[in-house]
Amino acid sequence: MNPAPPSPGRSPGRLRRSAHTGPGAGGGRAAPQAPAGRARKRLGPRQEGGRHHLSPSPAPRRQHRAPSSLTAPRRLPGPSPRGCRCRTRSPRGAGPSRGRPGLPAGGAGWYGPLPWRRRRRAGGGSGGSMAALARLRARLPALREECFRRNRCVDEDRKIKYKAAVKIQSWFRGCRVRAYLRHLNKMVICIQKRWRGYQSRRYFRKIVKIQKRWRGYYVRKYIHNYYALKKYLEAVSVNNEIVRNELQEYAEMNENERKKKDQEKKEKEKKYQARKMHYLLSTEQIAGIYNSPFRKSPDPMELLLRQSKPLSHRQQQVKSPFTDELYDWPTCKRPPTFHAGEPLPPIGRQKPQGPFCDTAEVLRQRYKPLEPTLRVAASIDSPLGKARAEMKREEWRNHIHDNEFLPFSSYHKNEKYDPSIHRSGKYGQETYGIKHFREVQPNKWVTGKDFQTVSPSIVLFEKFGKTYSRCGQIV
Amino acid sequence: MSQRQVLQVFEQYQRARTQFVQAVAELSARPQNAESLRSAGTWGAVGGRGGLWGPGPQFVGNFFTDGNQEAAAPCDHLGLGVAVKNCRFYKKAAAFVLRAVGKHSPQLAQAVVQCGALESLVICLEDFDPGVKEAAAWALGYIARHNSELSQAVVDAGAVPLLVLCIQEPEIALKRIAASTLSDISKHSPELAQTVVDAGAIAHLAQMILNPDAKLKRQVLSALSQIAKHSVDLAELVVEAEIFPVVLTCLKDSDEYVKKNGATLIREIAKHTPELSQFIVNAGGVAAVIDCIGSCRGTVRLPGIMMLGYVAAHSENLSMAVIVSKGIPPLCTCLVEEQEDHIKAAAAWALGQIGRHTPEHARAVAVANVLPTLLSMYMDTHSSEDLQLKTKRALKNILQKCTYLPALEPLLQDAPPNIMKHIVGQFSKVLPHDSKARRLFVTTGGLKKVQEIKAEPGSLLQEYINTINNCFPEEIVR
């Protein structure tokens, strides 16, 4: 019997799976139905260490990589159908130090003697049925093999699983501790914050008292200063009074000026009227209309008439000089009408004695309005004239000389030709420069020899007389 | 001999032609002849190529001052830009025509601009003759008046520096027209106003405030107020030109419109910031404006009233300054006397701004016995919407701060529920603390009126009524 023992002796498949589910637990044997092509991360040295007893080739190792526990096929309790892989894989005795050799003896990989082995031993001594004993005996070597095999598997996995378990547990403990620390931290913060708040509030109450008083003082003194406001408003009203008085004075002054102007205008008007109607002045014989004999004293108009000088006719003419010009009077709103009518004829009175012309005729001639011709009425500078003047100026500017161009040769018949400066000399044309360039007078030479150069000479001058050809007649 | 006769014939012809055009020009001055003139085909006779000289443009101008707009189009094609090269009479008359055309509508002004008249007008501004300058400036002013694009076109043609030069000329009429044109240009947008300011106009305009001519002062004040109204910076620039306290003398001028424009200028400056308002108060401007309001009648008062409202709105100190300067009585008389609703609305608004700050202010307003007037205006069905709205707001603002109970009691009788709420609320705040007031309240019958008020239970009004009732012993309440 091979009851499924508890965990160490459980089906290797089961063990394998739990080993697989441990984090990074050396990913035990691959499930036989592992989906093909499932790439799994190669684990590190642990894997190596855990599996070094296996064949070194990587490919089978990959096969041995288990898929995640979720996709791993469920393992039924009991021996796996294919048995422990370790038998097919590992050469016997290839793995070092796994306790294989010592196993039967000590049976103690890590866990001590396996219980079913003990049981096994116990079961062999019964005298009950010989057949059973024989059967059992027959199964014994296989059992032994089986035992070894299972132990080996378990032991092999054990280390991995142990390590995996350690890792899991350490991780979990770490989480727990960290959670605990976090919790502690939170508690501490809570306590500290309350304490600090309390402290500061206690302190704050003291500070607030000072600030309260300071702020009240400051606001009352500078911002909402009641007394300053009151003074300001009083100042404003005083200022207003002053301004009102000044404006009143100004208005009165304006009023006075206006009245004065009106008065002056009226007076001027009166005086003008008096001058115009000077003929109403009373004489010694005839009392004027303003000097009625029934009055006690003459009318003021009479006095005015006495004072004023008679208005002469000449002044009448300069009255309106604006009739000719259009829109020159700025405040003229409607255009001036052109006076079409004639001036009224004078009131009929006795003709003056003598060979005088008809008065109406004379006046008409005298006051005949100016009727300028169009040429006069238009501007002095007519555009045509201006354009002509402009053209003339331009031409004068552009001329090189002022001599007129005379087209026919007959105009130039008697002109003497003026040669240019280059060619005109004092007594005719200069020969120097045309006929000869440099003079040579042999009769004036002192010796027949040439100059001897004593000091180094200018190279160019050496060539004088030596480079010319025979035509030059020096060589 | 024969040459003289020939010339005489030609002169006769020219003279006859001039006479004809003159006569037609005179006839066109009267609007009833316009129709017959048009049907007689005078336009072709006069407006042809050779005819538009001398008095010709004047005739055309007369034709257009009546608003006949159909002839505007051919007018432009005549190339009035030719005005540049001719004598000054022609230039003046041509500018007159352009003004007559451009003043009626933005489309016509646009047509004038499109035919290139602006350049020639600007060239005319540089002429020596002041009459020509005046005519050109007038035409530019009328064009720029319509909208901001046309103003921009005028500015782009380079008119502004020349106008500033025109302002400095000695002729009064030219100054007037130039000031009016600058005012029309700068009224549309802050950028245009800035252009005018950049040309240095403010200093010259500020100097001209002292000029005795009334019409000039009108235009100058109008120009300054159009500049100052756009932004705080422009207003500060205007103030820096030291117009105070000289501007206050304008408020005492005999001409009504000078007063109005002066008040407008001060209002436009005061409305921007509390500092500017403070400055005006310190210069005594508030007193001058209050006197001005007292002496005028009608629409002329309106800018002054608004100015007081703006000053009082900024802060409670300024509001108190307005009260101290005796600003409330003129506003009350305004409210009562004026016929126009918009002036009444402005007065109501100004009173609301004065009274809304603290109980002191509200008391000052209430003491003037103006609350019943406001209430009656609010309830009046003939008042316009604007007036009703403004009086309601003013009442609310004042009542929320008013603790002067004798002024509140008359209102208890016929106030509508939304106002009643505030009145009763104020009573409920004051009565619990003041025993004398409680006694007075009972003796004058206020308590009885409060009992008669019907309010929904749970509403604010009911709570106030309950508070009031709790101040008094049970027997009295029943």
Side-chain angles (χ1 to χ4, degrees):
Chain A
M1 60 213 57
N2 193 8
S7 63
R10 251 243 218 126
S11 115
R14 189 54 73 88
L15 276 169
R16 248 181 270 145
R17 197 157 47 111
S18 61
H20 296 164
T21 55
R29 304 281 149 81
Q33 282 87 7
R38 178 132 183 147
R40 187 160 149 144
K41 185 164 68 107
R42 234 171 239 275
L43 293 172
R46 204 180 307 117
Q47 181 74 351
E48 300 285 341
R51 322 242 343 121
H52 63 263
H53 62 282
L54 293 173
S55 72
S57 63
R61 201 174 284 134
R62 201 183 293 126
Q63 265 182 14
H64 278 281
R65 294 282 145 77
S68 70
S69 56
L70 292 169
T71 57
R74 277 199 161 224
R75 290 266 171 202
L76 298 167
S80 64
R82 294 248 301 269
C84 182
R85 283 287 169 88
C86 52
R87 196 214 300 205
T88 56
R89 286 283 139 226
S90 57
R92 300 266 166 94
S97 73
R98 288 286 278 162
R100 274 298 135 243
L103 196 54
W110 281 267
Y111 293 116
L114 298 162
W116 59 269
R117 296 204 58 206
R118 273 188 245 121
R119 228 180 287 137
R120 286 282 333 276
R121 282 204 200 106
S126 144
S129 65
M130 289 308 289
L133 190 63
R135 249 186 282 128
L136 283 172
R137 285 248 167 104
R139 281 173 66 189
L140 190 60
L143 218 58
R144 209 164 160 223
E145 285 299 319
E146 185 71 17
C147 168
F148 282 147
R149 191 177 45 83
R150 288 198 184 181
N151 266 349
R152 198 187 303 141
C153 288
V154 164
D155 280 339
E156 274 170 3
D157 287 339
R158 193 173 294 157
K159 195 167 182 184
I160 301 165
K161 281 168 195 149
Y162 175 72
K163 284 196 176 169
V166 164
K167 195 153 217 60
I168 294 168
Q169 285 171 6
S170 73
W171 194 287
F172 180 70
R173 288 203 182 108
C175 281
R176 273 186 62 190
V177 165
R178 278 193 285 276
Y180 180 60
L181 284 175
R182 230 178 291 139
H183 172 75
L184 277 183
N185 203 26
K186 264 196 254 175
M187 297 300 117
V188 158
I189 287 174
C190 190
I191 295 171
Q192 284 178 355
K193 98 181 168 199
R194 292 232 182 148
W195 171 250
R196 285 186 187 138
Y198 166 70
Q199 281 285 75
S200 351
R201 251 168 274 138
R202 246 185 19 182
Y203 193 50
F204 184 65
R205 267 179 233 129
K206 293 197 192 120
I207 293 179
V208 159
K209 283 190 193 150
I210 301 174
Q211 284 182 358
K212 193 161 77 169
R213 287 197 152 215
W214 162 252
R215 285 199 181 126
Y217 163 74
Y218 185 75
V219 154
R220 273 190 296 274
K221 181 157 176 175
Y222 291 109
I223 299 177
H224 290 302
N225 191 349
Y226 175 71
Y227 300 105
L229 187 64
K230 210 162 122 178
K231 258 202 308 193
Y232 170 71
L233 289 172
E234 282 170 8
V236 162
S237 22
V238 166
N239 193 23
N240 283 349
E241 278 306 310
I242 295 173
V243 165
R244 279 186 172 129
N245 286 341
E246 279 182 14
L247 288 179
Q248 191 65 31
E249 279 174 24
Y250 173 78
E252 278 168 16
M253 191 182 73
N254 266 0
E255 193 61 31
N256 287 345
E257 267 199 34
R258 211 167 49 86
K259 277 198 199 131
K260 215 163 60 163
K261 250 195 265 189
D262 280 340
Q263 232 176 13
E264 268 174 19
K265 209 168 135 192
K266 277 199 201 111
E267 289 230 8
K268 210 168 127 188
E269 185 67 33
K270 261 194 188 166
K271 283 206 178 117
Y272 178 68
Q273 287 296 325
R275 287 187 76 189
K276 259 181 86 170
M277 299 193 292
H278 191 257
Y279 49 85
L280 294 174
L281 183 64
S282 58
T283 57
E284 288 290 333
Q285 295 289 78
I286 307 173
I289 51 174
Y290 291 117
N291 193 11
S292 163
F294 302 111
R295 287 170 67 96
K296 279 196 256 331
S297 63
D299 198 73
M301 194 61 186
E302 174 69 26
L303 299 170
L304 206 56
L305 283 171
R306 284 184 196 162
Q307 283 169 359
S308 49
K309 216 170 64 155
L311 194 65
S312 64
H313 284 304
R314 200 158 303 179
Q315 291 208 350
Q316 269 179 357
Q317 265 213 330
V318 292
K319 218 171 111 179
S320 57
F322 295 108
T323 40
D324 289 315
E325 307 204 348
L326 290 169
Y327 300 112
D328 235 12
W329 188 234
T331 50
C332 163
K333 291 258 177 351
R334 52 175 212 86
T337 50
F338 303 88
H339 55 112
E342 294 177 337
L344 292 172
I347 301 171
R349 53 181 174 172
Q350 297 101 334
K351 277 184 79 160
Q353 228 178 359
F356 295 121
C357 297
D358 184 27
T359 325
E361 185 70 36
V362 169
L363 287 176
R364 202 181 308 133
Q365 279 179 6
R366 212 171 185 196
Y367 299 130
K368 191 165 154 195
L370 181 67
E371 286 170 359
T373 55
L374 194 62
R375 198 171 59 107
V376 170
S379 149
I380 292 172
D381 327 300
S382 74
L384 190 60
K386 273 195 221 157
R388 277 207 204 107
E390 180 67 35
M391 255 175 63
K392 269 202 175 154
R393 250 182 275 130
E394 208 181 298
E395 271 193 64
W396 180 82
R397 264 208 312 272
N398 292 341
H399 288 162
I400 300 172
H401 61 85
D402 286 329
N403 298 339
E404 219 184 309
F405 171 65
L406 300 163
F408 301 112
S409 59
S410 52
Y411 294 125
H412 302 291
K413 253 195 303 200
N414 298 327
E415 273 182 9
K416 193 168 160 323
Y417 173 66
D418 298 322
S420 66
I421 266 177
H422 298 296
R423 290 177 27 113
S424 52
K426 218 166 27 164
Y427 305 110
Q429 203 179 37
E430 280 265 347
T431 51
Y432 184 82
I434 295 170
K435 296 248 171 63
H436 60 270
F437 186 59
R438 284 197 198 198
E439 277 191 334
V440 170
Q441 293 176 349
N443 45 342
K444 287 197 179 160
W445 289 353
V446 174
T447 59
K449 283 194 279 187
D450 206 348
F451 280 115
Q452 275 179 334
T453 56
V454 174
S455 50
S457 63
I458 300 169
V459 176
L460 185 65
F461 293 173
E462 288 286 300
K463 294 191 194 150
F464 178 70
K466 296 191 179 78
T467 53
Y468 291 163
S469 61
R470 189 164 280 279
C471 305
Q473 286 167 12
I474 289 186
V475 176
Chain B
M1 192 61 190
S2 64
Q3 193 181 27
R4 204 166 69 94
Q5 274 171 351
V6 167
L7 283 176
Q8 223 172 14
V9 168
F10 276 103
E11 293 231 329
Q12 228 173 4
Y13 166 65
Q14 297 284 18
R15 210 175 299 138
R17 213 169 139 200
T18 325
Q19 267 176 2
F20 164 68
V21 177
Q22 281 177 3
V24 172
E26 238 179 294
L27 284 174
S28 70
R30 288 188 211 99
Q32 54 264 33
N33 298 331
E35 196 51 50
S36 35
L37 279 173
R38 207 180 310 141
S39 55
T42 42
W43 175 248
V46 177
R49 257 280 116 216
L52 207 58
W53 43 258
Q58 174 213 345
F59 148 69
V60 172
N62 285 340
F63 207 52
F64 294 147
T65 45
D66 308 329
N68 298 317
Q69 302 181 9
E70 304 89 21
C75 161
D76 299 327
H77 295 309
L78 284 176
L80 282 166
V82 171
V84 177
K85 299 199 198 77
N86 290 316
C87 68
R88 58 198 166 113
F89 301 113
Y90 195 94
K91 287 189 201 175
K92 272 190 252 187
F96 172 60
V97 171
L98 289 171
R99 165 168 54 115
V101 171
K103 86 175 182 196
H104 296 291
S105 82
Q107 288 79 24
L108 284 173
Q110 185 67 38
V112 170
V113 168
Q114 268 163 2
C115 81
L118 282 183
E119 284 77 26
S120 11
L121 283 173
V122 167
I123 293 175
C124 286
L125 271 182
E126 289 174 327
D127 202 87
F128 290 113
D129 184 37
V132 172
K133 281 197 259 206
E134 183 189 333
W138 213 334
L140 287 170
Y142 274 20
I143 291 175
R145 195 174 281 191
H146 295 289
N147 60 36
S148 67
E149 283 85 27
L150 290 164
S151 285
Q152 189 63 48
V154 169
V155 167
D156 289 337
V160 174
L162 295 168
L163 285 168
V164 174
L165 281 175
C166 284
I167 276 193
Q168 301 166 36
E169 297 277 333
E171 288 84 16
I172 294 274
L174 184 54
K175 285 201 224 239
R176 266 187 229 146
I177 305 296
S180 139
T181 308
L182 286 174
S183 160
D184 286 333
I185 290 177
S186 53
K187 80 180 180 196
H188 296 288
S189 85
E191 291 81 26
L192 289 163
Q194 188 65 48
T195 321
V196 171
V197 166
D198 289 338
I202 291 190
H204 301 294
L205 289 171
Q207 278 171 3
M208 292 200 292
I209 295 182
L210 293 165
N211 199 298
D213 186 49
K215 290 191 182 144
L216 177 61
K217 272 197 274 204
R218 276 190 217 170
Q219 302 299 339
V220 165
L221 291 169
S222 155
L224 285 171
S225 64
Q226 302 289 6
I227 292 176
K229 81 179 183 192
H230 292 290
S231 79
V232 185
D233 301 315
L234 289 167
E236 281 179 359
L237 278 173
V238 172
V239 167
E240 275 168 25
E242 289 175 27
I243 52 173
F244 287 97
V246 177
V247 136
L248 304 179
T249 57
C250 297
L251 293 173
K252 277 286 186 183
D253 204 87
S254 43
D255 191 62
E256 294 280 315
Y257 286 98
V258 173
K259 285 198 233 188
K260 182 176 180 202
N261 287 353
T264 311
L265 173 59
I266 301 183
R267 174 192 80 190
E268 299 296 353
I269 294 179
K271 84 177 186 198
H272 290 290
T273 69
E275 286 80 25
L276 283 168
S277 299
Q278 181 83 54
F279 175 74
I280 293 177
V281 168
N282 292 350
V286 172
V289 168
I290 291 172
D291 286 349
C292 175
I293 293 177
S295 65
C296 302
R297 299 281 173 271
T299 345
V300 179
R301 278 179 172 179
L302 184 61
I305 297 173
M306 290 179 72
M307 181 258 177
L308 289 179
Y310 279 126
V311 168
H314 282 299
S315 87
E316 52 184 51
N317 296 346
L318 289 169
S319 177
M320 189 50 91
V322 171
I323 295 175
V324 157
S325 314
K326 306 191 193 77
I328 300 186
L331 287 174
C332 299
T333 47
C334 224
L335 200 59
V336 170
E337 281 177 1
E338 288 293 331
Q339 315 296 334
E340 309 246 329
D341 271 359
H342 61 272
I343 306 181
K344 288 205 228 197
W349 170 76
L351 283 167
Q353 295 301 326
I354 294 178
R356 72 180 169 102
H357 297 279
T358 72
E360 285 296 321
H361 298 80
R363 185 202 170 95
V365 176
V367 158
N369 208 14
V370 81
L371 295 175
T373 328
L374 284 173
L375 188 61
S376 63
M377 268 181 215
Y378 175 52
M379 310 285 291
D380 189 6
T381 43
H382 297 297
S383 326
S384 64
E385 293 254 346
D386 184 48
L387 176 58
Q388 281 183 342
L389 182 67
K390 293 229 161 72
T391 44
K392 178 174 82 140
R393 277 210 199 121
L395 266 179
K396 269 196 180 166
N397 286 336
I398 297 174
L399 286 173
Q400 273 167 351
K401 290 282 163 74
C402 184
T403 53
Y404 184 61
L405 300 181
L408 292 181
E409 284 188 44
L411 300 177
L412 274 176
Q413 279 162 344
D414 30 59
N418 51 351
I419 305 284
M420 185 65 77
K421 181 171 62 171
H422 295 294
I423 303 175
V424 177
Q426 288 300 109
F427 274 115
S428 74
K429 284 180 202 157
V430 176
L431 288 178
H433 307 288
D434 191 354
S435 57
K436 233 188 290 186
R438 282 199 288 263
R439 210 171 304 143
L440 266 172
F441 191 54
V442 177
T443 49
T444 53
L447 190 57
K448 200 161 126 228
K449 285 195 208 112
V450 166
Q451 301 306 318
E452 286 161 14
I453 299 173
K454 291 185 210 24
E456 297 106 42
S459 72
L460 213 54
L461 191 54
Q462 189 60 42
E463 279 183 36
Y464 291 145
I465 296 179
N466 290 344
T467 325
I468 294 177
N469 291 342
N470 292 342
C471 302
F472 297 98
E474 276 296 319
E475 313 77 60
I476 305 186
V477 172
R478 251 178 293 107

